[in-house]
């Protein structure tokens, strides 16, 4: 049995991610309304994981929104088309929505490269309005690191994530914030404050073992549920993200044969 | 034929979703495969997932071809052919794992095939514990089998683990006892 952590005694309603392996790790899903940081270096599967979370949400009748900051959403769409469970109908019916954040910036007249307190409030209000209008229950911002880049100071970043989290939580919206870090960074987020404020932290990474490169996933923190803190091996497939426990006998130190 | 009958009858006597060790001599190998993939899996309407770390999947596929056993419900996780094969040689019913040391990847590919064949129950064959033991230490191999078997049991799949008597060690026997519900011995003609 993997070690488990109990944060809060009370059982909260779950947002079932639809990614079976992750729901098992989380003992049934993400506590509804949580803001979860998905953090890892490039190519570790963060975007794929988030897209799958939204597609399953849309299928389950929860309107889902993907806020793209760096990549064009048309290009992202090509990533989910191969999924067996994806259906274009979800987009046509407005259950799965893609918005490019730069478009929002434009509309709001946020042209400055550096956001202050005021711009933070404008942005949060704008996202809140979209969530209300489209009745969004699942939200992904990919990536929060790109937004934080404009916020500059740790105070502004803390302020932004706190307000964003509170706004989404009060609407019962479960959200994933993608955080990009370089493999060398020995923390969970680039600015070092994101992980402290988020309700959950899921780390994706690469693990080299005897010359083989494995994709890994680990839930480091999740408020409102018991969860495994063990490392899992991840595979990105046409049936979605698959997860199996990382075999412990396989650590370099004890590897033989 | 006697071996095929013997093995298929023994398999049919198993409870649902059993995990069994199947001990055999090398000479009975193809009769056992026929009993499992043709007689047993067909009668039970199972999709078979055949994990091979012993001989290339193409060799088994060729043998099945000769025996006129259709491949429709048979899938391979091939742990030994990847390095030697070009893309054009890959078979549509086989998924390749880089090496028999990538045990997590074996689990992931089995999981993938189970999802892909969700309309039918599964029979998962591990061929063989002896060849896996060449590439992995006992500790990690036991952990792998333990997780795999439990996972498959939860999915109501049968697990059959091959053990070639000629290559059995004390460690392998202990491992099999630990992870399987029972051991079936292929006797052959007396
Ligand atoms: N369903 C899939 N099957 C196979 N490979 C995939 C699948 N989805 C994504 N990938 C590959 O995995 C890699 C990483 O994916 P991505 O989610 O974009 O990582 P990140 O967002 O962490 O940078 C990409 O190279 C992508 O091509
Ligand atoms: Mg990405």
């Amino acid at each position: 049995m993997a070690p488990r952590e109990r944060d809060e005694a009370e059982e909260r309603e779950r947002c079932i991610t639809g990614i079976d392996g992750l729901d098992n790790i989380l003992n049934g899903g993400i506590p509804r309304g949580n803001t979860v940081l998905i953090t890892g270096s490039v190519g570790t599967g963060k975007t794929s994981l988030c897209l799958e979370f939204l597609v399953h949400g849309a299928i389950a009748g929860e309107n889902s929104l993907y806020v793209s900051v760096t990549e064009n959403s048309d290009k992202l769409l090509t990533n989910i088309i191969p999924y067996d469970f994806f259906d274009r109908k979800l987009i046509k019916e407005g259950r799965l929505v893609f918005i490019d954040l730069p478009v929002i910036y434009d509309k709001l007249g946020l042209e400055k490269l550096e956001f202050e307190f005021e711009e933070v409030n404008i942005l949060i209000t704008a996202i809140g309005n979209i969530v209300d209008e489209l009745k969004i229950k699942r939200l992904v911002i990919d990536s929060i690191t790109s937004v934080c880049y404009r916020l500059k100071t740790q105070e502004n970043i803390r302020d932004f994530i706190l307000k964003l989290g509170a706004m989404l939580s009060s609407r019962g919206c479960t959200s994933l914030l993608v955080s990009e870090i370089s493999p060398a960074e020995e923390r969970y987020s680039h600015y070092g404050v994101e992980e402290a404020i988020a309700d959950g932290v899921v780390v994706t990474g690469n693990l080299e073992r005897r010359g083989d490169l494995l994709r890994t996933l680990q839930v480091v923190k999740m408020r409102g549920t018991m969860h495994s803190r063990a490392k899992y091996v991840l595979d990105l497939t046409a049936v979605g993200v698959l997860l199996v426990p990382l075999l412990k006998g396989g650590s370099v130190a004890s590897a033989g044969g | 034929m006697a071996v095929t009958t013997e093995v298929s009858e023994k398999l049919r006597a198993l409870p649902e979703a059993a995990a069994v060790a199947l001990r055999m001599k090398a000479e009975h190998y193809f009769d056992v495969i026929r009993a499992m993939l043709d007689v047993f899996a067909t009668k039970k309407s199972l999709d078979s997932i055949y994990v091979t770390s012993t001989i290339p999947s193409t060799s088994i596929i060729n043998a099945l071809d000769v025996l006129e056993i259709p491949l429709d419900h048979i899938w391979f996780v091939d742990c030994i052919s990847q390095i030697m094969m070009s893309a054009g040689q890959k078979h549509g019913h086989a998924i390749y794992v880089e090496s028999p040391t990538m045990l997590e990847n074996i689990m992931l590919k089995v999981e993938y095939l189970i999802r892909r064949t969700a309309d039918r129950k599964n029979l998962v064959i591990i061929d063989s514990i002896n060849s896996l033991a060449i590439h992995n230490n006992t500790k990690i191999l036991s952990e792998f089998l333990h997780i795999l078997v439990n996972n498959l049991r939860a999915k109501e799949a049968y697990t059959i683990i091959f053990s070639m008597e000629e290559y059995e060690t004390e460690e392998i026997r202990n491992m099999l006892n630990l992870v399987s519900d029972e051991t079936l011995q292929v006797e052959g003609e007396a």
Side-chain angles (χ1 to χ4, degrees):
Chain A
M1 258 292 136
R4 284 172 190 278
E5 186 183 71
R6 179 173 277 273
D7 260 339
E8 288 164 28
E10 220 173 294
E11 267 300 304
R12 281 172 48 191
E13 194 202 327
R14 300 310 171 94
C15 169
I16 298 165
T17 67
I19 300 161
D20 288 346
L22 185 59
D23 289 326
N24 286 339
I25 294 171
L26 294 172
N27 254 321
I30 302 173
R32 195 169 288 284
N34 269 8
T35 301
V36 180
L37 204 66
I38 308 291
T39 184
S41 53
V42 65
T44 51
K46 302 181 296 298
T47 299
S48 311
L49 187 85
C50 290
L51 285 170
E52 190 177 345
F53 167 74
L54 295 183
V55 173
H56 284 305
I59 291 169
E62 296 182 10
N63 289 353
S64 299
L65 172 65
Y66 186 97
V67 177
S68 175
V69 185
T70 39
E71 277 184 275
N72 181 296
S73 48
D74 290 339
K75 201 180 121 208
L76 280 160
L77 198 54
T78 60
N79 285 338
I80 50 171
I81 291 168
Y83 282 139
D84 288 353
F85 48 87
F86 174 71
D87 188 340
R88 272 188 183 278
K89 196 178 76 189
L90 300 172
I91 293 177
K92 281 205 202 97
E93 293 175 353
R95 280 187 280 162
L96 182 59
V97 184
F98 288 82
I99 294 182
D100 292 335
L101 195 59
V103 175
I104 300 182
Y105 287 160
D106 267 1
K107 279 192 187 153
L108 298 174
L110 297 177
E111 283 139 11
K112 286 197 275 180
L113 280 179
E114 212 163 305
F115 289 176
E116 300 294 340
F117 189 75
E118 199 193 324
E119 283 87 10
V120 167
N121 285 338
I122 293 173
L123 186 57
I124 301 229
T125 306
I127 296 173
N129 288 341
I130 296 170
V131 168
D132 285 340
E133 207 172 297
L134 304 179
K135 299 187 173 63
I136 299 299
K137 287 293 165 206
R138 297 188 187 202
L139 175 101
V140 168
I141 299 182
D142 191 356
S143 71
I144 199 74
T145 314
S146 312
V147 180
C148 290
Y149 177 73
R150 295 197 183 212
L151 300 175
K152 302 294 179 201
T153 68
Q154 297 221 333
E155 286 68 30
N156 277 345
I157 293 169
R158 181 174 288 119
D159 187 48
F160 172 65
I161 298 177
L162 266 176
K163 282 182 180 158
L164 181 70
M167 180 275 287
L168 293 168
S169 180
S170 70
R171 288 162 167 78
C173 180
T174 310
S175 49
L176 305 184
L177 309 180
V178 173
S179 155
E180 301 274 358
I181 50 168
S182 68
E185 280 179 282
E186 290 197 357
R187 51 181 171 183
Y188 299 130
S189 64
H190 186 67
Y191 298 94
V193 295
E194 300 94 307
E195 75 262 24
I197 305 166
D199 299 306
V201 176
V202 175
V203 182
T204 57
N206 290 313
L207 180 77
E208 195 174 334
R209 192 173 67 196
R210 287 178 287 177
D212 300 324
L213 194 61
L214 303 172
R215 282 203 176 94
T216 63
L217 177 144
Q218 191 168 28
V219 176
V220 170
K221 163 180 168 181
M222 188 63 67
R223 291 190 183 127
T225 180
M226 297 197 299
H227 63 89
S228 162
R229 303 185 84 235
K231 210 172 247 188
Y232 283 72
V233 178
L234 177 151
D235 197 11
L236 303 169
T237 77
V239 296
V241 169
L242 298 178
L243 291 159
V244 297
L246 177 73
L247 299 174
K248 295 183 186 64
S251 66
V252 177
S254 62
Chain B
M1 198 62 214
V3 171
T4 306
T5 310
E6 178 202 333
V7 173
S8 58
E9 270 166 17
K10 280 179 173 165
L11 293 176
R12 287 178 66 194
L14 291 171
E16 295 287 322
V20 296
L22 195 57
R23 301 184 66 219
M24 71 189 84
K25 293 188 182 69
E27 62 186 285
H28 296 137
Y29 185 67
F30 283 104
D31 288 329
V32 169
I33 290 179
R34 195 221 309 249
M36 274 185 337
L37 296 182
D38 195 22
V39 188
F40 178 64
T42 305
K43 280 228 168 75
K44 287 270 189 180
S45 299
L46 302 170
D47 265 64
S48 301
I49 300 173
Y50 194 114
V51 179
T52 173
S53 56
T54 306
I55 61 173
S57 53
T58 45
S59 307
I60 302 168
I61 289 169
N62 290 341
L64 294 177
D65 217 29
V66 172
L67 297 169
E68 295 182 334
I69 298 171
L71 274 186
D72 305 85
H73 294 287
I74 305 172
W75 308 86
F76 292 88
V77 177
D78 183 330
C79 313
I80 48 173
S81 304
Q82 168 91 345
I83 326 144
M84 306 174 279
M85 280 186 122
S86 63
Q89 293 174 296
K90 293 187 172 168
H91 194 281
H93 273 238
I95 296 183
Y96 301 84
V97 170
E98 296 87 327
S99 97
T101 59
M102 305 274 286
L103 297 174
E104 288 96 345
N105 280 7
I106 297 177
M107 287 196 270
L108 285 164
K109 300 310 174 197
V110 169
E111 174 77 31
Y112 174 76
L113 289 171
I114 288 178
R115 300 268 184 118
R116 268 282 153 102
T117 57
D119 50 328
R120 287 159 59 116
K121 287 190 180 173
N122 295 98
L123 163 67
V124 177
I125 300 126
I126 307 294
D127 175 8
S128 65
I129 190 166
N130 322 88
S131 58
L132 287 176
I134 296 171
H135 299 276
N136 299 280
N137 66 32
T138 310
K139 220 166 127 188
I140 195 168
L141 191 51
S142 317
E143 192 186 355
F144 162 74
L145 290 172
H146 194 76
I147 293 172
L148 183 75
V149 163
N150 281 329
N151 192 13
L152 293 175
R153 198 177 277 129
K155 294 191 159 74
E156 296 176 69
Y158 288 88
T159 314
I160 299 181
I161 305 169
F162 280 16
S163 181
M164 313 310 285
E165 282 172 42
E166 293 89 338
Y167 305 101
E168 260 183 11
T169 60
E170 191 60 36
E171 275 187 331
I172 287 176
R173 272 190 289 275
N174 289 339
M175 217 186 307
L176 288 175
N177 284 336
L178 215 62
V179 298
S180 55
D181 305 322
E182 54 188 287
T183 300
L184 298 183
Q185 176 72 46
V186 180
E187 309 284 355
E189 285 123 313

